[in-house]
């Protein structure tokens, strides 16, 4: 079926947010609705899968209705559907995927399953001045820390990835260790403002001079060791020390992220850099990446914070490109927890 | 890795009271932990279940990289924590299922994840934070406890439940003595 007006419904349910968006020509956001489930998950210190899929199930119809309403579009005007099919929590992914299939079948329109990580790399095309291809892309979130060379839509080469924890996961685990709550990123970012980033010298893992891989488990273990050693000698952390730990930890994560991204740019000889994913919403990381790009005369592109975190609009960008190329999914399409890119 | 203690407890008369089937290793580094995992991994068969317990930073991921390597999973450097997606599946000589319950509060939340299917599956299942779901685990399995003993050092205790795993540990212990 040919695409008429280029109006796309996009659905994203890979983790804790239910998202729906309506896009025009794959670039213009008519609406982008995210029902953050953070309040539900906060008391559990993380995303609880069973709760996540149940919440998606409850949220999906109202969220899609809301997205259509805000865009002033009816289902009949939708030309195609883009939906995340992985990676993510399978139960959560299935809610979005099954919903997309049903609407596509009922309305007789095509749908396409897309990769969540490629969607993050595409979020930048929703901004005013998107980059030209090729560019270096870093996707950094609770589930991913990977560097890519992006030559075009659907033409992505992975240059490096984490060998243990994702950067966002390290934030969450350290926050839990310090008794700070969930999600760890924003809390640690906030405490860091009042701490000294040089108070504690936590290790940075570079895995060799030319490696574009990441490792954050050694850093996590160093924080564990520091906390244990401290607790043996005294009872409780002062507010000041807590801020220093948070700040020194964040500094170590950001150092590695910035240096590896710059290294990827040098190795590939590509001067355009895109960072995206939840951790790309981190204040310090954005600041430091901007400074470094300026120093090295590189062109840096960062989506606005609400487009860095999980959202459906970014799914619509890449989904639109696929649909335009005639790529469609069939009804037997499945969801995959570790769908490779 | 310094020696495994196949502790045989004896009373004053030197008579054997009860042979403890547990095995304790002392790891001096992350690569030590990985090597121990590889050694255990080589002895694992289809349908085996390994339950891991240990605080953050005690080396669970390292041990699992070793287990996977022992089973024949390639490129174990890239075996990452599945905290986000809960289950990662790999292909070795037999399938390798890596489950991480870090984000789960308890058994109630784990119900409906279909864990039984992994336990009865065609591969080896390894579960991190397994102590959170005691009643959902199979009766026979290998418990591995990791304890923090110093900045780099860890104590790793292997406790078999069931004949199959006692036999596995006997092989593991003998290999160590050589």
């Amino acid at each position: 079926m040919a695409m008429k007006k280029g109006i796309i419904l996009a659905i994203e349910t890979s983790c804790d947010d239910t998202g729906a968006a309506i896009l025009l020509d794959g670039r213009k956001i008519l609406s982008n609705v995210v029902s953050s489930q953070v309040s539900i998950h906060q008391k559990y210190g993380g995303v609880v899968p069973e709760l996540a899929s149940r919440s998606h199930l409850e949220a999906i119809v109202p969220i899609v209705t809301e997205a259509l309403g805000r865009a002033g579009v009816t289902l009949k005007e939708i030309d195609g559907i883009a939906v995340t099919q992985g990676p993510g929590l399978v139960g959560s992914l299935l809610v979005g995927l099954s919903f997309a299939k049903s609407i596509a079948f009922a309305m007789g329109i095509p749908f396409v399953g897309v990769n969540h990580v490629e969607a993050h790399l595409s979020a930048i095309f929703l901004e005013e001045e998107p980059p030209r291809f090729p560019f270096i892309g870093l996707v950094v979130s609770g589930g991913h820390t990977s560097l890519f060379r992006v030559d075009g839509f659907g033409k992505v080469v992975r240059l490096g990835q984490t060998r243990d924890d994702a950067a966002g996961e390290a934030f969450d685990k350290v926050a839990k260790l310090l008794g700070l709550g969930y999600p760890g990123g924003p809390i640690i970012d906030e405490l860091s403002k009042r701490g000294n980033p040089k108070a504690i010298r936590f290790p940075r893992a570079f895995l060799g001079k030319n490696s574009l891989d990441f490792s954050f488990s050694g850093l996590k273990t160093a924080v564990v060791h520091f906390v244990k050693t401290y607790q043996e000698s005294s009872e409780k952390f002062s507010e000041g020390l807590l801020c220093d730990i948070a700040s020194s930890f964040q500094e170590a994560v950001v150092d590695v992220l910035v240096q590896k991204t710059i290294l990827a740019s040098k190795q590939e000889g590509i001067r355009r850099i895109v960072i995206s994913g939840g951790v790309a919403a981190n204040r310090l990381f954005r600041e430091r990446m901007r400074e470094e790009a300026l120093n090295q005369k590189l062109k840096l592109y960062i989506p606005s914070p609400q487009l860095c975190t999980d959202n459906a609009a970014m799914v619509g960008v890449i989904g639109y490109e696929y649909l335009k190329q005639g790529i469609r999914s069939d009804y037997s399409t499945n969801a995959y927890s570790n769908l490779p890119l | 890795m310094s020696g495994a203690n196949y502790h045989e407890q004896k009373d004053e008369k030197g008579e054997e009271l009860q042979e403890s089937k547990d095995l304790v290793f002392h790891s001096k580094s992350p690569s030590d932990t990985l090597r121990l995992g590889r050694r255990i991994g080589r002895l694992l068969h289809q349908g085996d279940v390994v339950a891991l317990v240990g605080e953050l930073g005690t080396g669970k991921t390292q041990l699992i990289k070793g287990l996977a390597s022992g089973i024949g999973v390639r490129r174990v450097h890239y075996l990452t924590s599945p905290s986000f997606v809960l289950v990662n599946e790999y292909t070795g000589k037999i399938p390798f299922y890596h489950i991480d319950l870090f984000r789960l509060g308890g058994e109630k939340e784990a119900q409906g994840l279909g864990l039984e299917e992994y336990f009865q599956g065609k591969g080896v299942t390894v579960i991190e934070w397994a102590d959170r779901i005691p009643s959902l685990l199979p009766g026979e399995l290998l418990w591995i406890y990791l304890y923090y003993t110093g900045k780099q050092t860890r104590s790793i205790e292997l406790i078999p439940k069931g004949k199959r795993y006692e036999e596995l540990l006997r092989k593991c212990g003998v290999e160590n003595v050589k």
Side-chain angles (χ1 to χ4, degrees):
Chain A
M1 196 160 293
M3 303 238 298
K4 292 164 286 181
K5 282 194 226 155
I7 297 180
I8 295 281
L9 164 64
I11 296 170
E12 151 68 37
T13 60
S14 69
C15 191
D16 46 351
D17 293 326
T18 313
I22 309 290
L23 256 62
L24 179 64
D25 294 331
R27 291 291 186 282
K28 189 172 169 14
I29 298 177
L30 300 182
S31 66
N32 190 18
V33 186
V34 178
S35 84
S36 184
Q37 299 172 340
V38 166
S39 58
I40 301 168
H41 295 300
Q42 250 161 4
K43 59 181 179 208
Y44 296 96
V47 178
V48 180
E50 166 57 15
L51 286 182
S53 33
R54 208 182 312 152
S55 314
H56 285 302
L57 211 51
E58 283 165 10
I60 189 96
V61 173
I63 292 291
V64 170
T65 310
E66 175 86 19
L68 288 166
R70 283 197 204 174
V73 165
T74 64
L75 265 186
K76 282 184 187 151
E77 293 172 85
I78 301 292
D79 300 306
I81 302 177
V83 60
T84 308
Q85 73 173 117
L89 299 171
V90 169
S92 298
L93 289 164
L94 279 173
V95 174
L97 185 61
S98 309
F99 188 81
K101 283 181 191 175
S102 320
I103 301 284
F105 182 73
M107 304 307 292
I109 52 175
F111 83 99
V112 65
V114 309
N115 185 300
H116 180 77
V117 179
E118 193 173 12
H120 272 304
L121 289 171
S122 312
I124 193 67
F125 292 93
L126 295 163
E127 299 292 355
E128 296 258 315
E129 285 174 43
R132 281 185 295 120
F133 294 113
F135 60 80
I136 296 297
L138 172 73
V139 176
V140 57
S141 66
H144 314 278
T145 307
S146 300
L147 272 164
F148 301 94
R149 190 185 73 227
V150 184
D151 295 323
F153 292 111
K155 291 177 191 153
V156 178
V157 179
R158 189 169 58 207
L159 305 171
Q161 61 184 310
T162 183
R163 294 185 182 178
D164 36 60
D165 295 346
E169 186 181 350
F171 270 98
D172 284 340
K173 285 183 173 170
V174 165
K176 193 160 184 172
L177 179 76
L178 298 173
L180 296 174
Y182 176 88
I187 300 170
I188 286 179
D189 201 5
E190 195 53 41
L191 286 179
S192 296
K193 288 181 190 163
R194 288 175 278 136
N196 173 8
K198 293 195 168 70
I200 308 150
R201 179 70 194 175
F202 287 129
R204 280 93 168 132
F206 289 101
L207 308 165
K209 221 173 80 191
N210 297 316
S211 173
L212 294 176
D213 282 345
F214 299 86
S215 166
F216 294 104
S217 78
L219 171 59
K220 174 187 71 188
T221 307
V223 178
V224 170
H225 180 70
F226 181 87
V227 169
K228 279 202 185 287
T229 312
Y230 187 85
Q231 279 169 341
E232 277 165 18
S233 56
S234 46
E235 320 89 59
K236 240 188 141 213
F237 291 128
S238 65
E239 175 80 9
L241 180 61
L242 202 59
C243 292
D244 282 349
I245 297 174
S247 184
S248 302
F249 163 77
Q250 175 164 287
E251 186 77 9
V253 175
V254 167
D255 261 359
V256 174
L257 291 176
V258 171
Q259 290 192 40
K260 294 270 178 186
T261 308
I262 301 291
L263 180 64
S265 157
K266 284 189 177 153
Q267 283 186 3
E268 295 293 315
I270 296 173
R271 308 190 68 81
R272 286 175 294 272
I273 293 176
V274 173
I275 61 170
S276 196
V279 179
N282 177 284
R283 171 195 55 92
L284 183 73
F285 182 41
R286 294 170 84 94
E287 268 173 34
R288 291 279 301 283
M289 206 59 223
R290 284 203 186 97
E291 281 167 23
E292 203 52 33
L294 205 65
N295 287 342
Q296 310 270 347
K297 298 191 171 60
L298 304 171
K299 195 116 170 60
L300 178 69
Y301 302 82
I302 318 178
S304 56
Q306 66 271 22
L307 292 174
C308 280
T309 49
D310 290 352
N311 67 88
M314 66 182 194
V315 175
V317 176
I318 186 69
Y320 173 80
E321 295 297 330
Y322 282 142
L323 288 169
K324 205 168 70 177
Q325 290 172 28
I327 299 168
R328 281 120 174 76
S329 298
D330 62 42
Y331 295 115
S332 65
T333 296
N334 214 338
Y336 299 97
S337 72
N338 46 0
L339 184 71
L341 177 62
Chain B
M1 201 174 315
S2 65
N5 302 324
Y6 214 107
H7 11 139
E8 289 174 16
Q9 297 165 5
K10 295 178 180 183
D11 67 6
E12 301 88 15
K13 293 174 201 160
E15 280 171 0
E16 217 169 88
L17 272 180
Q18 188 197 357
E19 185 187 327
S20 166
K21 296 175 177 87
D22 305 353
L23 206 51
V24 181
F25 291 90
H26 300 285
S27 164
K28 291 187 189 125
S29 67
S31 47
D32 238 10
T33 302
L34 191 136
R35 274 195 295 274
L36 171 63
R38 189 177 295 141
R39 200 157 97 198
I40 301 167
R42 287 198 188 108
L43 301 169
L44 290 171
H45 297 160
Q46 177 180 338
D48 281 347
V49 177
V50 180
L52 256 61
V53 182
E55 290 176 52
L56 283 177
T58 47
K60 294 186 293 299
T61 306
Q62 280 299 318
L63 191 80
I64 291 170
K65 284 184 187 208
L67 291 171
S69 163
I71 289 167
V73 175
R74 287 188 179 179
R75 286 161 55 87
V76 291
H77 277 316
Y78 292 108
L79 182 145
T80 58
S81 162
S83 296
F84 180 75
V85 290
L86 275 178
V87 184
N88 278 341
E89 301 186 16
Y90 299 90
T91 323
K93 283 176 212 137
I94 45 177
F96 182 72
Y97 308 118
H98 179 188
I99 300 176
D100 183 351
L101 305 176
F102 175 70
R103 292 188 291 143
L104 292 200
E107 299 192 324
K108 221 176 150 194
E109 290 155 17
Q111 281 163 2
L113 286 177
L115 292 178
E116 327 75 59
E117 287 174 39
Y118 288 106
F119 301 152
Q120 291 154 14
K122 295 191 174 87
V124 168
T125 310
V126 176
I127 313 152
E128 293 190 56
W129 304 94
D131 51 333
R132 297 187 179 182
I133 57 157
S135 74
L136 298 180
L137 297 170
E140 301 205 343
L141 80 174
L142 176 64
W143 283 99
I144 302 182
Y145 287 83
L146 297 97
Y147 300 99
Y148 181 97
T149 51
K151 191 169 185 177
Q152 287 279 315
T153 57
R154 304 288 183 266
S155 166
I156 302 172
E157 198 176 342
L158 278 52
I159 303 174
K161 295 283 173 218
K163 281 228 161 57
R164 152 87 191 110
Y165 297 97
E166 288 170 16
E167 177 60 25
L168 187 149
L169 282 209
R170 256 193 293 279
K171 284 183 191 160
C172 199
V174 169
E175 199 181 306
N176 187 62
V177 174
K178 280 176 188 170

